[in-house]
Amino acid sequence: MKARSDELQIFVCVIECGSISAAAEQVGQTPSAVSRTLSRLEAKLDTTLINRTTRRMDLTEEGKYFFEQAKGILDQMDELEERLSSRQKNPAGRLRINAASPFMLHAIVPHIEEFRGLYPDIQLELNSNDLIIDLLEQSTDIAIRIGTLSDSTLHARSLGCSPLHILASPAYLKQHGTPATVAELARHALLGFAQNEGLNQWPLRHEHGDRWPIQPAISASSGETVRHLALQGQGIACLSDFMTREDIRAGRLKVLLADANSGYRQPINAVYYRNSQLALRIQCFLDFIQGKLAEYASREFKG
């Protein structure tokens, strides 16, 4: 008996996810069904691919070789399907996108209806994570990352950039006053980030440079949490334009120290694992979101 493509897919998924239970959740099967598929595949090949215990699993030498070959076969199948789809000008299939909560909520979700209207055959799966994820472990096609990239193993496409604003609510300013200089920030409650110290370096010019380090009175791991704290008058925050533009326009947040702002803009990149030509469904989404960010930048430039 010959191995089937669905068996190859489950085997590769188990290795990439790191466990049978995680792979089972990914493919929508029970762990026992996934385990039976692996056993059936090993029986067909008459070799052990994975040494499994209750605590861990390790690829055998045969398993390592088979994984590389199976992955290549599946990639070729995906590429063939994408080429056929591309010829028909009809991008289709599941597209898994990961982004930090603020970007997902403010820069992606508002445009989903329009995207679905343009590409109804693309099945979107939207996941939010405020920490850096492993694209393979999470079976993610695209991850949107804000800030400077550090992982050189990933392919990246720049989607644009977003300015940072120093912000506070009218209620906070009424109670505590408005800082007129950068130095006066030391007398205010500042809102910062708990797991990314780089975000606690505000883009403000002063006599020693153009980055102002802060000591947060309240720290949070999510930019969306920091935004809500600022809206509730808990302090002054430094947040990206893409997530606060509507708050500023509506007067819910006021821009502070604009004259001292260094003008630094956070890079916005899409990262992905793909050594060959991008899948059409990925290309369509990246073009679409890049266009939306360009629209925002144009409106900002026009004032």
Side-chain angles (χ1 to χ4, degrees):
M1 296 177 65
K2 297 181 179 180
R4 304 195 310 263
S5 62
D6 60 331
E7 293 170 334
L8 299 186
Q9 289 172 335
I10 287 178
F11 170 72
V12 168
C13 186
V14 168
I15 303 308
E16 291 183 340
C17 290
S19 71
I20 289 176
S21 59
E25 182 178 353
Q26 188 68 52
V27 300
Q29 297 185 16
T30 64
S32 59
V34 171
S35 183
R36 287 195 299 271
T37 299
L38 290 178
S39 297
R40 184 167 60 249
L41 181 60
E42 289 177 326
K44 288 181 178 180
L45 299 173
D46 194 25
T47 189
T48 300
L49 300 174
I50 306 173
N51 290 321
R52 304 190 287 276
T53 68
T54 56
R55 293 189 175 184
R56 60 180 296 174
M57 61 180 194
D58 296 303
L59 280 172
T60 63
E61 287 300 314
E62 292 78 9
K64 292 177 182 177
Y65 174 79
F66 189 74
F67 172 76
E68 294 298 328
Q69 299 303 311
K71 190 74 168 59
I73 291 171
L74 294 174
D75 285 345
Q76 289 178 6
M77 292 174 63
D78 285 344
E79 184 175 353
L80 175 60
E81 291 177 1
E82 291 296 340
R83 286 184 181 276
L84 291 174
S85 180
S86 178
R87 290 183 63 180
Q88 298 171 358
K89 303 299 181 183
N90 182 33
R94 185 174 300 278
L95 180 60
R96 298 181 177 91
I97 303 164
N98 185 283
S101 300
F103 193 86
M104 183 68 75
L105 292 172
H106 298 281
I108 294 180
V109 170
H111 307 299
I112 290 302
E113 182 178 2
E114 181 180 351
F115 182 81
R116 293 281 295 130
L118 292 171
Y119 307 107
D121 295 325
I122 295 179
Q123 303 158 12
L124 290 172
E125 182 178 310
L126 306 179
N127 299 300
S128 296
N129 195 314
D130 292 308
L131 302 176
I132 299 299
I133 66 162
D134 185 299
L135 272 65
L136 288 178
E137 287 182 2
Q138 300 294 326
S139 297
T140 296
D141 296 302
I142 305 169
I144 309 297
R145 294 186 176 168
I146 313 298
T148 304
L149 294 177
S150 59
D151 191 341
S152 61
T153 66
L154 297 172
H155 294 274
R157 171 171 165 177
S158 173
L159 299 180
C161 56
S162 181
L164 291 167
H165 302 301
I166 312 302
L167 303 161
S169 70
Y172 176 87
L173 298 174
K174 181 178 180 180
Q175 182 176 357
H176 301 282
T178 301
T181 66
V182 175
E184 288 182 18
L185 288 173
R187 300 200 295 269
H188 287 266
L190 307 182
L191 307 174
F193 289 82
Q195 296 173 327
N196 189 338
E197 283 301 315
L199 296 177
N200 293 330
Q201 301 278 331
W202 291 6
L204 293 171
R205 292 188 298 270
H206 54 96
E207 61 181 353
H208 299 298
D210 58 7
R211 304 287 285 178
W212 181 265
I214 68 159
Q215 290 294 325
I218 305 176
S219 298
S221 61
S222 168
E224 191 63 17
T225 301
V226 174
R227 172 178 168 266
H228 278 277
L229 287 168
L231 288 169
Q232 293 174 14
Q234 295 301 308
I236 299 174
C238 177
L239 293 170
S240 196
D241 180 75
F242 69 77
M243 64 183 295
T244 57
R245 183 181 298 110
E246 295 305 319
D247 295 322
I248 295 169
R249 287 178 179 170
R252 293 186 293 267
L253 292 174
K254 299 293 185 181
V255 176
L256 309 178
L257 301 170
D259 291 341
N261 196 306
S262 67
Y264 169 77
R265 293 168 176 259
Q266 283 185 313
I268 302 173
N269 290 283
V271 297
Y272 48 88
Y273 284 108
R274 174 72 72 154
N275 293 322
S276 57
Q277 183 179 2
L278 272 182
L280 184 60
R281 65 186 185 279
I282 296 177
Q283 186 72 50
C284 288
F285 180 81
L286 294 180
D287 290 344
F288 178 81
I289 289 298
Q290 187 172 32
K292 292 302 176 185
L293 291 175
E295 287 179 18
Y296 288 149
S298 175
R299 291 173 195 164
E300 174 200 345
F301 178 78
K302 292 176 182 178

